[in-house]
């Protein structure tokens, strides 16, 4: 198939903007952006996501001027300028209860409880679970945060 014809008009450059997504607290989690890249055409829809490590809870996306851009996670926006987003976290209280079995068993059970404002997570021997109050769901394995 061959298509032929005449085209008239002028080409217009589409502005290109940079994106930088950063973690606000080392060890609090991970950040990612979709689509992957650091330069995007104006108007490109971008979704940024912050994951949480045990003992931390995502708080907000902060821009380069220190303003809260969104508390949604993930957060989707159309890029219209060079953009830097910082994922901020709150530290949640973590309580460890070390239990030892007697009668010759040489295995310890470590139960950690992370209490947050809107969620509770629990871990047993570094396997993390969340609860809605009636059941537990395995989230995954983790490395416990270093003690301050």
């Amino acid at each position: 198939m061959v298509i032929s014809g005449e085209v008239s008009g002028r080409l217009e450059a589409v502005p290109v903007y940079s994106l930088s997504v950063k973690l606000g607290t080392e060890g609090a989690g991970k950040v990612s952006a979709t689509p992957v890249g650091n330069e995007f055409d104006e108007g490109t829809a971008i979704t940024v996501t912050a994951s949480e490590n045990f003992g931390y809870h995502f708080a907000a996306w902060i821009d380069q001027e220190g303003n809260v851009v969104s508390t949604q996670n993930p957060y989707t926006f159309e890029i219209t300028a060079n953009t830097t987003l910082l994922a901020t976290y709150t530290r949640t209280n973590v309580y460890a209860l070390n239990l030892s079995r007697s009668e010759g068993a040489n295995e310890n059970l470590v139960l950690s409880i992370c209490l947050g404002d809107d969620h509770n997570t629990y871990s047993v021997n570094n396997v993390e679970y969340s609860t809605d109050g009636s059941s537990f769901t395995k989230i995954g394995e983790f490395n416990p945060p270093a003690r301050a």
Side-chain angles (χ1 to χ4, degrees):
M1 173 192 258
V2 175
I3 299 176
S4 61
E6 291 185 28
V7 177
S8 63
R10 63 183 184 139
L11 294 176
E12 288 190 35
V14 175
V16 175
Y17 298 112
S18 66
L19 173 69
S20 175
V21 181
K22 300 177 181 179
L23 188 62
T25 303
E26 186 176 338
K30 295 180 180 176
V31 292
S32 63
T34 305
V36 175
N38 55 14
E39 288 189 341
F40 301 93
D41 292 343
E42 182 176 53
T44 300
I46 299 172
T47 299
V48 290
T49 303
S51 65
E52 302 169 347
N53 283 340
F54 190 75
Y56 294 92
H57 183 64
F58 172 79
W61 293 103
I62 306 293
D63 68 13
Q64 57 266 30
E65 282 84 36
N67 300 312
V68 173
V69 174
S70 177
T71 57
Q72 295 179 344
N73 186 32
Y75 167 57
T76 301
F77 66 99
E78 288 186 7
I79 195 163
T80 58
N82 293 330
T83 304
T84 297
L85 293 175
L86 184 71
T88 59
Y89 294 79
T90 57
R91 180 101 168 139
T92 54
N93 295 323
V94 176
Y95 305 94
L97 175 63
N98 296 315
L99 305 173
S100 298
R101 296 190 314 189
S102 58
E103 301 174 15
N106 56 2
E107 177 180 324
N108 287 338
L109 174 68
V110 179
L111 170 66
S112 298
I113 302 172
C114 178
L115 303 174
D117 292 337
D118 61 353
H119 71 291
N120 293 316
T121 57
Y122 303 85
S123 71
V124 178
N125 289 348
N126 296 345
V127 177
E128 189 173 6
Y129 301 86
S130 67
T131 181
D132 60 6
S134 62
S135 64
F136 287 90
T137 303
K138 181 177 178 180
I139 298 172
E141 297 184 19
F142 73 101
N143 294 318
R147 299 222 182 258

